[in-house]
Amino acid sequence: MARKKLRTKDQHIIRLASMVDGLGSILYEKADLLSYDCDGFTIHTALPKAVVFPENTEEVANIVKYCHEQGLPFLARGAGTGLSGGAIPLNQEVIISMVKMKKLLSVDLENRRAVVEPGFVNLKLTNSISDKGYYYAPDPSSQYCCTIGGNVAENAGGAHCLKYGVTTNHILGLEVVLPNGEIVEIGSNGVPDEPGYDLLGLLTGSEGTLGIVTKITVRILKNPEDKQTVLAYFDKIEDGSQAVSDIVSAGIVPAALEMMDKTAIEGVEAAAFPVGHPKDIEALLLIEVDGIAAGIGEQIEQILDVCRSRNVREVRAAKDEQERAAWWANRKTGFGAMGAISPDYLVQDGVIPRSKLPEVLQKIKKISDDSGLRIANIFHAGDGNLHPLVLFDARIPGETDKAMEAGSACLKVCADVGGTITGEHGVGIEKREEMRFVFKDEEIMAQTDIREVFNPDNLLNAGKLFPTPGRCAEVKKEMKEAAIS
Ligand SMILES: Cc1cc2nc3c(=O)[nH]c(=O)nc-3n(C[C@H](O)[C@H](O)[C@H](O)COP(=O)(O)OP(=O)(O)OC[C@H]3O[C@@H](n4cnc5c(N)ncnc54)[C@H](O)[C@@H]3O)c2cc1C
């Protein structure tokens, strides 16, 4: 970032600039702030007061202490790839960008752990240790640019989280700056069964509302001895969905079990990494198994048999690593690929019991027909994590609202079959109201009470994760009044 003279009389900006590495580490002019008015949820925008770029924990703590004392709203930001609006500065926040805190601090192969700063990019961790035979399991499709700090805040998942678990299963310790500027260490860094409350579990997935993560100890895994990938094309989506259930019921735990429907296939084939999937099928499955080399062949045969028994049009294992990598590159462009077939799209993120897949896909189709908007489906089918992608054109008046309504209706369907409203992208501002699909007022209040313990002044990332006070505030007031009388 080019150094430039500070051109403001705003005392807060002048003080904040003095806490980081001089003028090059703060942005405050409108033209610069425009890049920070949203994250991957582009439907809502708001300008921050300033963006600061600390380089270490002490700088973060000083900035937070100052904001706390002065009553300035603030929030942390990683790479800004979040899809639910968690990093959008709704209240003119001071954005504390973690991108300069991007060091790999240590790797301990013996104890299978690594320590990173929060701005360290997810994929860089695997790239840094793969030559030694290790990797970091959580693999969001944005892993080439999203930060591990952002992954902790969102409890990010990924295609290979079916077998190995999402981010929370790989976090061993955190250093956190609390909303008053105090620095604390959470977790046991890998020693099992720490006594007391599971604060590590609470912080992971708290969407940047309880503290700012400044150091992360993660679990790293030994590379599997072997892995193989199967691609299956189905004429009927019901057959593909049924094959998913059959594979899991057969006792196979694939490392990944992904599904794309016809509209999604149209998108990925029109984007950067086409592989020649037929455009007239209703669904494809991408299934990967890994582990000890001896058992893999048998599992692949079982998977091929299951697919054949469900009327698969074509099914085969990748012939080599190059073909396997091409299939995955094609799948991982999934969301962005929608840009090739639609001016705008909204990514949804519901979770359902696997057995409800055919019923839910039917209902999503009805939402699409009723709204007149195309909905593509890309999902982590193995763990029931759906991503309906609502395609729309924001230039057409009213279409953005229609897309939001269709997205919300998809989440209602997921909640109604016993699922939930987010599997990995978080609630942010996008799904605040949908929290009411899965929680009663009292249950939401129990959670906002926890937020108040950590973040009593609500200066850190206010307005995220929970519905605006509304009915909850009324119930709380009624309960307090009842207790007094
Ligand atoms: C193309 C694409 C594909 C994606 N695929 C997946 C996927 O497969 N799986 C998945 O889970 N997600 C996916 N995502 C969503 C997104 O990449 C993840 O949510 C990711 O974890 C966000 O990381 P980030 O660094 O971009 O965080 P940001 O977007 O900058 O921030 C996200 C939230 O984390 C908070 N935060 C950031 N850093 C910190 C910190 N150090 N301390 C405390 N709070 C912090 C922010 O305040 C905000 O609330 C995808 C996004 C895109 C654009």
Side-chain angles (χ1 to χ4, degrees), residues 129-169:
I129 54 181
S130 61
D131 60 333
K132 299 176 186 78
Y134 289 82
Y135 75 112
Y136 177 59
D139 64 336
S141 299
S142 51
Q143 67 181 146
Y144 54 88
C145 62
C146 66
T147 67
I148 295 185
N151 296 166
V152 171
E154 298 292 355
N155 191 16
H160 291 81
C161 291
L162 172 61
K163 182 170 176 184
Y164 295 100
V166 294
T167 300
T168 193
N169 303 106

Side-chain angles (χ1 to χ4, degrees), residues 18-219:
S18 74
M19 292 171 199
V20 283
D21 180 29
L23 309 182
S25 287
I26 185 162
L27 301 174
Y28 57 90
E29 289 177 337
K30 188 173 174 194
D32 294 325
L33 298 181
L34 279 170
S35 307
Y36 295 86
D37 70 357
C38 69
D39 53 16
F41 181 64
T42 53
I43 287 174
H44 192 104
T45 58
L47 281 184
K49 178 174 181 61
V51 186
V52 281
F53 297 86
E55 290 188 23
N56 55 53
T57 303
E58 285 63 39
E59 289 185 358
V60 175
N62 289 339
I63 294 162
V64 170
K65 249 183 228 150
Y66 180 76
C67 289
H68 172 67
E69 283 161 13
Q70 300 295 319
L72 290 178
F74 59 99
L75 61 82
R77 178 177 168 117
T81 66
L83 291 168
S84 52
I88 297 177
L90 290 181
N91 314 287
Q92 263 211 308
E93 273 87 351
V94 171
I95 291 184
I96 304 176
S97 168
M98 310 312 287
V99 295
K100 283 193 174 181
M101 293 177 64
K102 55 177 182 187
K103 288 198 272 298
L104 170 58
L105 296 171
S106 64
V107 177
D108 174 0
L109 295 180
E110 205 178 345
N111 292 299
R112 298 202 180 175
R113 59 195 176 196
V115 183
V116 298
E117 289 186 327
F120 195 69
V121 167
N122 174 302
L123 186 59
K124 278 193 173 176
L125 183 49
T126 290
N127 289 346
S128 309
I129 54 181
S130 61
D131 60 333
K132 299 176 186 78
Y134 289 82
Y135 75 112
Y136 177 59
D139 64 336
S141 299
S142 51
Q143 67 181 146
Y144 54 88
C145 62
C146 66
T147 67
I148 295 185
N151 296 166
V152 171
E154 298 292 355
N155 191 16
H160 291 81
C161 291
L162 172 61
K163 182 170 176 184
Y164 295 100
V166 294
T167 300
T168 193
N169 303 106
H170 301 269
I171 302 302
L172 303 173
L174 295 175
E175 177 187 81
V176 180
V177 174
L178 295 177
N180 63 2
E182 199 182 329
I183 303 168
V184 295
E185 301 265 350
I186 292 173
S188 59
N189 287 327
V191 180
D193 287 337
E194 196 188 32
Y197 295 123
D198 178 13
L199 296 180
L200 206 51
L202 176 63
L203 263 289
T204 309
S206 61
E207 302 195 19
T209 63
L210 301 183
I212 298 187
V213 173
T214 46
K215 205 185 285 177
I216 306 152
T217 305
V218 299
R219 186 192 309 282

Side-chain angles (χ1 to χ4, degrees), residues 137-344:
D139 64 336
S141 299
S142 51
Q143 67 181 146
Y144 54 88
C145 62
C146 66
T147 67
I148 295 185
N151 296 166
V152 171
E154 298 292 355
N155 191 16
H160 291 81
C161 291
L162 172 61
K163 182 170 176 184
Y164 295 100
V166 294
T167 300
T168 193
N169 303 106
H170 301 269
I171 302 302
L172 303 173
L174 295 175
E175 177 187 81
V176 180
V177 174
L178 295 177
N180 63 2
E182 199 182 329
I183 303 168
V184 295
E185 301 265 350
I186 292 173
S188 59
N189 287 327
V191 180
D193 287 337
E194 196 188 32
Y197 295 123
D198 178 13
L199 296 180
L200 206 51
L202 176 63
L203 263 289
T204 309
S206 61
E207 302 195 19
T209 63
L210 301 183
I212 298 187
V213 173
T214 46
K215 205 185 285 177
I216 306 152
T217 305
V218 299
R219 186 192 309 282
I220 53 177
L221 302 180
K222 194 105 179 74
N223 284 340
E225 221 176 85
D226 191 14
K227 55 182 149 197
Q228 283 191 42
T229 308
V230 168
L231 181 63
Y233 296 138
F234 292 88
D235 289 313
K236 295 249 166 299
I237 199 158
E238 294 76 20
D239 285 329
S241 312
Q242 208 49 63
V244 170
S245 286
D246 292 353
I247 289 167
V248 180
S249 311
I252 303 167
V253 186
L257 177 38
E258 300 286 294
M259 189 163 178
M260 284 197 269
D261 74 358
K262 190 173 188 170
T263 311
I265 293 166
E266 182 189 331
V268 292
E269 285 300 303
F273 301 107
V275 291
H277 295 316
K279 302 230 180 81
D280 61 338
I281 49 167
E282 279 193 4
L284 72 72
L285 292 182
L286 195 56
I287 312 150
E288 186 157 284
V289 285
D290 69 7
I292 298 165
I296 299 279
E298 198 181 316
Q299 289 184 55
I300 292 290
E301 280 311 317
Q302 262 182 296
I303 289 169
L304 296 177
D305 284 347
V306 166
C307 293
R308 287 182 196 119
S309 74
R310 290 291 171 190
N311 309 313
V312 73
R313 181 195 289 189
E314 188 187 331
V315 61
R316 67 186 177 84
K319 60 179 181 295
D320 53 27
E321 177 52 31
Q322 205 182 344
E323 187 170 53
R324 179 187 160 272
W327 290 349
W328 275 113
N330 174 277
R331 159 62 187 91
K332 291 216 169 189
T333 54
F335 298 168
M338 294 305 117
I341 57 169
S342 173
D344 299 281

Side-chain angles (χ1 to χ4, degrees), residues 424-436:
E424 52 184 21
H425 298 167
V427 174
I429 56 175
E430 184 209 8
K431 305 183 204 75
R432 284 177 303 196
E433 291 306 318
E434 283 74 10
M435 287 287 267
R436 298 188 199 278

